[in-house]
Amino acid sequence: MQVKCLIIDDEPLAVKVVEKYIEEVDDFECVGSCSNGLEAIRFLNEQAVDLIFLDINMPKLSGMEFLETLKNPPQVVITTAYRDYAVESYNYDVVDYLVKPIEFPRFFRMVQKVMNRLSIRPTGPGGTAGEAEKIDHLFLKVDKKMVKVFLKDLLYVESLKDYVMVRTTAEDLIVHHNLHSFTDLLPQEDFMRIHRSYTVSLEKIKAINGNQVEIGGKHLPIGRNYQSEVKNRILKG
């Protein structure tokens, strides 16, 4: 799917940064930018969008005041230089809260959240926001396309400096990410870091042999600083 994005921000430099990041994501398309909320309301009356990047401190209407005017808002990501509004923003069910200056790795983590939310929305009136956000897969950018990977198929993730190798039951994928930020995307109850270079699926561990785990036909080391927690979680699980 192509996610149509609108940027609402009165800072031209901030708009250019988000536009540039959007260009890096094949499934995202920037369909316009507005410098204030009134301009954005007129834009949305003429064209539907899937995602809004919204600044908070703007002339005429603040970001929060703008959200109050929308009856059926699209997905919203807050982009601001201020951390003070984070708690309040989640009352509007925003997808994410990005603090300027925004680095691309953080932006890409937001992309994962957007793709997951858009693809797991409730289909009936009984659905809830909590159900919508339950993650059973990730979209990973591989060779300029977004690849859907189900978490039940993920064996482990290996650090390759500025990249990670995501090993699944079907294939290996190389993704531009660091292991720390990638691990943050995974459900903590199902995955854990066992070494500075490895994060594994607890369910897929076949055996523990000394300071190694056997998973997917491979023997992966358990780091010294992780040994106690790893063995406790695996053996008690």
Side-chain angles (χ1 to χ4, degrees):
M1 65 175 295
Q2 198 73 13
V3 179
K4 297 185 182 299
C5 305
L6 172 66
I7 305 169
I8 308 175
D9 200 317
D10 63 332
E11 301 176 26
L13 182 58
V15 172
K16 289 183 179 180
V17 169
V18 176
E19 284 177 338
K20 179 181 178 181
Y21 288 171
I22 289 173
E23 289 177 1
E24 295 292 322
V25 181
D26 289 348
D27 294 274
F28 276 27
E29 175 189 6
C30 183
V31 295
S33 63
C34 301
S35 60
N36 61 69
L38 295 178
E39 185 181 338
I41 291 171
R42 290 192 292 269
F43 184 98
L44 292 173
N45 285 335
E46 298 178 0
Q47 182 170 343
V49 302
D50 303 301
L51 176 65
I52 290 175
F53 291 93
L54 180 64
D55 188 21
I56 291 180
N57 291 326
M58 294 185 296
K60 300 181 180 178
L61 279 178
S62 72
M64 299 307 183
E65 291 169 336
F66 166 76
L67 285 179
E68 291 283 359
T69 70
L70 303 181
K71 292 183 179 180
N72 296 298
Q75 301 298 315
V76 175
V77 171
I78 299 296
T79 58
T80 178
Y82 304 93
R83 301 178 182 272
D84 303 350
Y85 302 96
V87 174
E88 180 184 356
S89 72
Y90 285 106
N91 292 330
Y92 296 90
D93 195 30
V94 302
V95 182
D96 211 341
Y97 191 98
L98 305 183
V99 179
K100 302 172 183 176
I102 303 167
E103 299 292 337
F104 184 74
R106 180 66 182 87
F107 183 90
F108 191 70
R109 287 171 61 189
M110 174 276 304
V111 170
Q112 303 279 359
K113 294 181 181 181
V114 170
M115 298 300 285
N116 286 327
R117 184 179 283 206
L118 288 175
S119 63
I120 319 176
R121 281 187 172 185
T123 56
T128 66
E131 290 170 342
E133 295 172 10
K134 185 176 181 180
I135 295 175
D136 68 350
H137 67 270
L138 295 173
F139 281 93
L140 305 180
K141 187 177 182 182
V142 181
D143 295 332
K144 296 185 178 181
K145 64 181 179 180
M146 300 296 284
V147 178
K148 188 175 186 178
V149 175
F150 285 97
L151 299 186
K152 64 181 178 60
D153 298 328
L154 201 160
L155 297 172
Y156 63 85
V157 185
E158 180 180 356
S159 174
L160 303 174
K161 293 185 178 180
D162 295 330
Y163 292 81
V164 292
M165 181 188 72
V166 180
R167 174 155 290 186
T168 74
T169 54
E171 60 184 334
D172 296 341
L173 304 170
I174 304 297
V175 182
H176 185 40
H177 237 294
N178 64 61
L179 185 61
H180 176 77
S181 61
F182 192 93
T183 301
D184 284 345
L185 297 172
L186 302 171
Q188 294 185 6
E189 65 271 22
D190 300 321
F191 294 86
M192 77 174 300
R193 186 103 171 243
I194 66 166
H195 187 275
R196 59 186 176 84
S197 297
Y198 295 99
T199 292
V200 304
S201 167
L202 296 172
E203 180 186 50
K204 296 294 193 298
I205 293 175
K206 185 176 180 180
I208 301 178
N209 183 10
N211 291 326
Q212 293 184 329
V213 297
E214 183 180 344
I215 183 169
K218 300 286 185 179
H219 291 84
L220 307 181
I222 303 173
R224 180 179 300 175
N225 295 332
Y226 299 87
Q227 289 176 11
S228 177
E229 183 182 0
V230 169
K231 291 181 180 180
N232 283 338
R233 286 194 62 182
I234 295 173
L235 296 177
K236 290 181 180 180

